[in-house]
Amino acid sequence: MFSGLKIALVFIVLAAAGGGLFYVKQLQSNLEIARLNNAKLESAIETSEQSLATLKADNIRLNALSDQLNEDLSKSEQYGDELRATLNKHNLTHLANKKPGLIQNRMQGKTDELWKDLESITGNTPTE
């Protein structure tokens, strides 16, 4: 009977050791999976940080471009105001009624120049 108890005790110890070994192997497997997931997360964080840096750089560039466009718009509006003031100063309708031949030739010449400029900008060549 004492030997049966020893055999049972040995089986219990072996079962506990086997269960412990299984538990340790499971923990090692989980740890390896956690390490792989951690590496993936670090890669994702690095990619995210690079994207964020790119977005910040693009934002700075776009702000600079926006400032330049606003400055150009302001200059254009100022030029338009000056041009309107000049045109209001010179009453072309009154001049055309007073000296139609003089103003017609000038207006036609400038209109022809404008069309030539437009054709050259759009890539069409004038058909003279």
Side-chain angles (χ1 to χ4, degrees):
M1 179 161 178
F2 186 66
S3 67
L5 187 60
K6 284 183 181 180
I7 293 175
L9 190 58
V10 168
F11 277 126
I12 290 173
V13 169
L14 288 177
L21 183 63
F22 176 75
Y23 180 71
V24 168
K25 292 287 184 183
Q26 187 66 30
L27 284 177
Q28 288 174 344
S29 173
N30 289 343
L31 182 61
E32 187 61 31
I33 290 171
R35 284 183 184 147
L36 291 174
N37 287 340
N38 192 28
K40 288 178 186 177
L41 287 174
E42 287 176 359
S43 175
I45 288 171
E46 184 179 322
T47 302
S48 178
E49 287 174 349
Q50 288 174 350
S51 297
L52 186 60
T54 302
L55 286 173
K56 286 180 180 178
D58 286 348
N59 189 29
I60 291 169
R61 184 179 60 85
L62 289 175
N63 284 338
L65 289 173
S66 178
D67 291 344
Q68 182 64 42
L69 285 174
N70 284 333
E71 185 180 320
D72 291 346
L73 176 62
S74 176
K75 288 178 183 177
S76 296
E77 288 174 345
Q78 182 181 359
Y79 176 71
D81 292 343
E82 291 171 3
L83 188 58
R84 265 189 290 292
T86 301
L87 289 174
N88 286 335
K89 180 180 167 186
H90 301 287
N91 189 348
L92 294 179
T93 305
H94 176 70
L95 184 60
N97 287 335
K98 191 172 181 183
K99 299 178 181 177
L102 176 67
I103 195 70
Q104 180 183 4
N105 290 336
R106 288 184 181 175
M107 291 294 287
Q108 187 62 47
K110 292 298 178 183
T111 303
D112 291 342
E113 283 181 31
L114 177 65
W115 282 113
K116 286 178 185 177
D117 288 344
L118 288 173
E119 287 175 344
S120 70
I121 290 171
T122 59
N124 292 332
T125 57
T127 56
E128 292 182 35

